[in-house]
Amino acid sequence: MQRKKQNFVQGAVILMAASLIVKVIGAFFQIPLQNLIGGEESPAFGMFSAAYRIYTAMLMISTVGLPAALSKMVAEATACGREHEVRRIVRVAGSIFVPVGALCSVALFFGAGTFAEWIKSADARLAVMAIAPSVLMVAILSVFRGYYQGRSNMVPTAVSQVIEAMGKLFVGLGLAYYAMGQGYSDPVVAAMTVLGVTLGEVVAAAYMLAQAAVTRRRATPVRILNDAVRPAGELAKVLLSLSIPITISSAVMSLTDLIDVALISARLQSPAVGMTAKQAMATYGIYTGQAINFFNLPQTLITALAVSVLPTIASARAAQNFTKVSKTLSTSLRLTMIITLPAGTGFLVLSEPILRLLYHSGTETGGRLMAILGFAVPAVALVAITNATLQAFGRIDLPLVSMFLGALVKMFGDYYLIGDPRFGIAGAPISTAVCYWLIALLNLFHIARLSHALPPLGKTVGRPLAATAGMGAATYICFTVLTRALGAAPGSAVDKLSTLVSILVAVAVYGVLLLALHAVDREDVQLLPKGEKIANLLRLK
């Protein structure tokens, strides 16, 4: 079939644009929802978050490794001209993972009470039941996403992600307002809210099925360079040998997040800290609804880059194009630093003022936690890129080991730090930062060993870091001067305006410093859509 194809930066830009749209939609969902059913006195948002974490963990177990493994196999077969094998790979993937997704949905639905009891939130049972069918829908989505990503066509994945987000916004938030208006109990409110996630996944899966039908009907023949097709059993073995380790390495952190829910609640209720169950769940709701919500934004963008990098490196290695492998790795790591270093610094400098823009309560606690998470932002991004790179290299075992070690650090850190009254809930972001930096450094060591070199440290890290330092200083000075000169009270209109102006100053200063320090190459910009015109406009040489 004739196929649309983008280079890895264009594909990443498409997914990043979709991710930004999803995050904007998510903000229109999360912020009103937090204000509606969250806060320090309401456990409903904590129940919603707990159910969503359980769903995420089940999702990791059933389908998370599929798109990465499938895209790698499709990219390699495409690079070698084995078109018949591509179609068989997709059929094999569907025959394995769709039934697995169905089984996980059934287990989650009928075992909802057990899962809710395990995280010490029995009232979250209805919310877990409401989200259970989503696992099957995502299994279907994963097959199609893996195929299109392996073809270097990121548009269907991007569109389906936006559809998912729209379902949460319109259905989930609408049901939450309805439930609150009717005076339903907190468990029912949480369940009706999370139902929006399920319905969004249903519509996204229907779109992907329709997209596949349209693609098949409009396809035009292409030259098949190699008629070889491996047997279905062999392809299934290869697919599972790739997807299971990827799933396990991802599930290690997802299951750690699930344990995180239980640990945070239990340790905050320990005699040393002394919170009630309601206080612990409300605090957890602030942590996930405010700090974690912002923490996920930069890593969502980098995940888009990692999704695009994996099939690009895999196909280049299959074609023995090692120059392309090196350039792809260098560009992806540099883009990672350029995006995440200023994001992490923004968390450190303006965490509480940013939260005050959007939330009515809990911003002091949320801001303190978000500032600590600023240290973890570059690390978690590096983990995404380095995991994808090692998987493309065929060393899927190495991320598994590093993720497992990081998970151990995370769990022990949570247990001891959260239970210490000097840290409390702050122990969660501290252990998160240590965990991800350990994983990132281990992965970078393995990449250097396998590729015999890493990109130049000065260009990859030094220049973006220098630009970030200048940006951070300018942002802090701008916000401090404005708030003191104008006498802005926290949460006032003047305080919010000062925050917005400081953010705009940060963006402008960072852009100027990146260009002044030559942190961005003309060759990098040319990979973007309309890259030649952008490079000329910026006068890059």
Side-chain angles (χ1 to χ4, degrees):
M1 294 185 297
Q2 185 64 41
R3 55 190 179 275
K4 296 179 181 178
K5 190 172 182 178
Q6 306 102 23
N7 67 52
F8 90 95
V9 174
Q10 291 171 339
V13 168
I14 291 170
L15 290 178
M16 285 181 182
S19 297
L20 284 174
I21 294 170
V22 167
K23 280 299 178 182
V24 170
I25 294 172
F28 282 107
F29 171 72
Q30 287 269 0
I31 295 165
L33 186 66
Q34 174 80 12
N35 291 329
L36 181 68
I37 69 172
E40 297 177 348
E41 299 299 325
S42 173
F45 193 89
M47 294 175 196
F48 168 82
S49 296
Y52 196 85
R53 286 294 182 93
I54 294 172
Y55 153 73
T56 303
M58 188 65 76
L59 203 61
M60 287 288 179
I61 294 171
S62 61
T63 61
V64 75
L66 175 58
L70 185 55
S71 70
K72 182 178 186 294
M73 292 180 68
V74 169
E76 290 172 341
T78 301
C80 297
R82 298 197 301 266
E83 293 293 324
H84 293 311
E85 184 167 284
V86 169
R87 290 193 286 273
R88 179 171 288 182
I89 290 170
V90 175
R91 287 197 296 268
V92 168
S95 67
I96 295 173
F97 285 93
V98 172
V100 171
L103 287 174
C104 288
S105 283
V106 170
L108 194 58
F109 184 86
F110 289 103
T114 301
F115 285 111
E117 287 286 351
W118 187 64
I119 63 168
K120 302 185 184 301
S121 181
D123 288 339
R125 180 181 65 87
L126 290 177
V128 175
M129 294 176 69
I131 206 169
S134 296
V135 182
L136 171 59
M137 297 300 105
V138 175
I140 296 170
L141 282 166
S142 295
V143 174
F144 289 106
R145 285 173 176 171
Y147 166 74
Y148 284 116
Q149 288 162 200
R151 294 292 209 182
S152 294
N153 179 10
M154 305 299 168
V155 173
T157 296
V159 173
S160 64
Q161 289 173 346
V162 172
I163 291 172
E164 290 172 331
M166 295 292 283
K168 281 199 301 185
L169 175 63
F170 290 109
V171 181
L173 192 59
L175 288 175
Y177 273 106
Y178 174 78
M180 290 294 290
Q182 295 296 312
Y184 292 146
S185 64
D186 288 329
V188 174
V189 170
M192 293 185 70
T193 303
V194 86
L195 188 62
V197 177
T198 296
L199 295 178
E201 301 291 1
V202 171
V203 177
Y207 156 78
M208 200 65 94
L209 289 167
Q211 174 65 32
V214 170
T215 300
R216 186 178 183 86
R217 188 169 62 251
R218 293 180 179 177
T220 56
V222 297
R223 184 181 178 187
I224 297 173
L225 304 177
N226 190 333
D227 286 322
V229 181
R230 285 173 286 178
E234 182 179 344
L235 291 174
K237 183 178 179 181
V238 173
L239 183 63
L240 291 173
S241 70
L242 289 171
S243 60
I244 290 176
I246 294 173
T247 297
I248 293 173
S249 63
S250 299
V252 166
M253 295 312 299
S254 182
L255 290 174
T256 301
D257 285 343
L258 187 58
I259 295 170
D260 210 18
V261 179
L263 281 178
I264 289 175
S265 179
R267 298 302 286 162
L268 288 178
Q269 295 176 59
S270 66
V273 181
M275 285 189 179
T276 65
K278 184 176 180 179
Q279 289 172 330
M281 189 54 67
T283 301
Y284 174 72
I286 292 172
Y287 176 55
T288 56
Q290 295 185 15
I292 291 294
N293 194 32
F294 275 92
F295 177 62
N296 287 336
L297 177 57
Q299 59 178 298
T300 300
L301 298 179
I302 298 302
T303 298
L305 182 59
V307 167
S308 188
V309 162
L310 193 156
T312 302
I313 292 181
S315 61
R317 284 174 59 86
Q320 300 292 301
N321 189 348
F322 297 108
T323 300
K324 184 177 181 180
V325 171
S326 178
K327 287 184 177 180
T328 302
L329 176 60
S330 177
T331 301
S332 61
L333 288 176
R334 188 161 61 255
L335 287 175
T336 299
M337 292 294 96
I338 287 173
I339 293 170
T340 59
L341 286 175
T345 301
F347 282 17
L348 289 170
V349 177
L350 289 178
S351 56
E352 190 173 346
I354 289 172
L355 293 180
R356 288 199 299 263
L357 284 172
L358 305 169
Y359 299 104
H360 302 319
S361 64
T363 55
E364 183 176 350
T365 298
R368 180 166 56 96
L369 301 175
M370 180 174 160
I372 298 170
L373 284 173
F375 292 101
V377 170
V380 73
L382 284 172
V383 168
I385 294 297
T386 53
N387 275 357
T389 301
L390 289 171
Q391 289 158 7
F393 280 7
R395 292 306 307 268
I396 51 179
D397 56 316
L398 297 177
L400 176 59
V401 174
S402 59
M403 295 289 277
F404 179 75
L405 293 174
L408 288 178
V409 169
K410 169 72 175 152
M411 286 189 289
F412 283 112
D414 272 1
Y415 183 84
Y416 288 106
L417 293 177
I418 296 173
D420 187 332
R422 294 173 298 178
F423 297 98
I425 187 65
I430 292 171
S431 61
T432 294
V434 175
C435 158
Y436 280 111
W437 273 114
L438 173 64
I439 298 169
L441 293 175
L442 287 173
N443 283 357
L444 286 170
F445 168 77
H446 291 310
I447 291 172
R449 181 172 56 84
L450 293 171
S451 64
H452 307 295
L454 284 174
L457 189 62
K459 188 175 181 180
T460 305
V461 180
R463 294 177 189 178
L465 185 60
T468 298
M471 179 214 74
T475 306
Y476 177 79
I477 292 170
C478 178
F479 182 75
T480 302
V481 169
L482 284 175
T483 52
R484 290 181 179 176
L486 299 174
S492 66
V494 176
D495 174 63
K496 294 179 180 181
L497 180 61
S498 299
T499 302
L500 292 173
V501 171
S502 299
I503 293 172
L504 292 176
V505 168
V507 172
V509 170
Y510 187 62
V512 170
L513 288 175
L514 281 180
L515 294 175
L517 295 169
H518 303 290
V520 179
D521 288 341
R522 182 180 184 88
E523 190 175 304
D524 295 336
V525 175
Q526 286 175 327
L527 294 172
L528 296 169
K530 307 292 184 182
E532 190 69 34
K533 292 183 179 179
I534 296 173
N536 291 335
L537 181 64
L538 297 174
R539 298 180 180 178
L540 295 174
K541 297 181 179 179

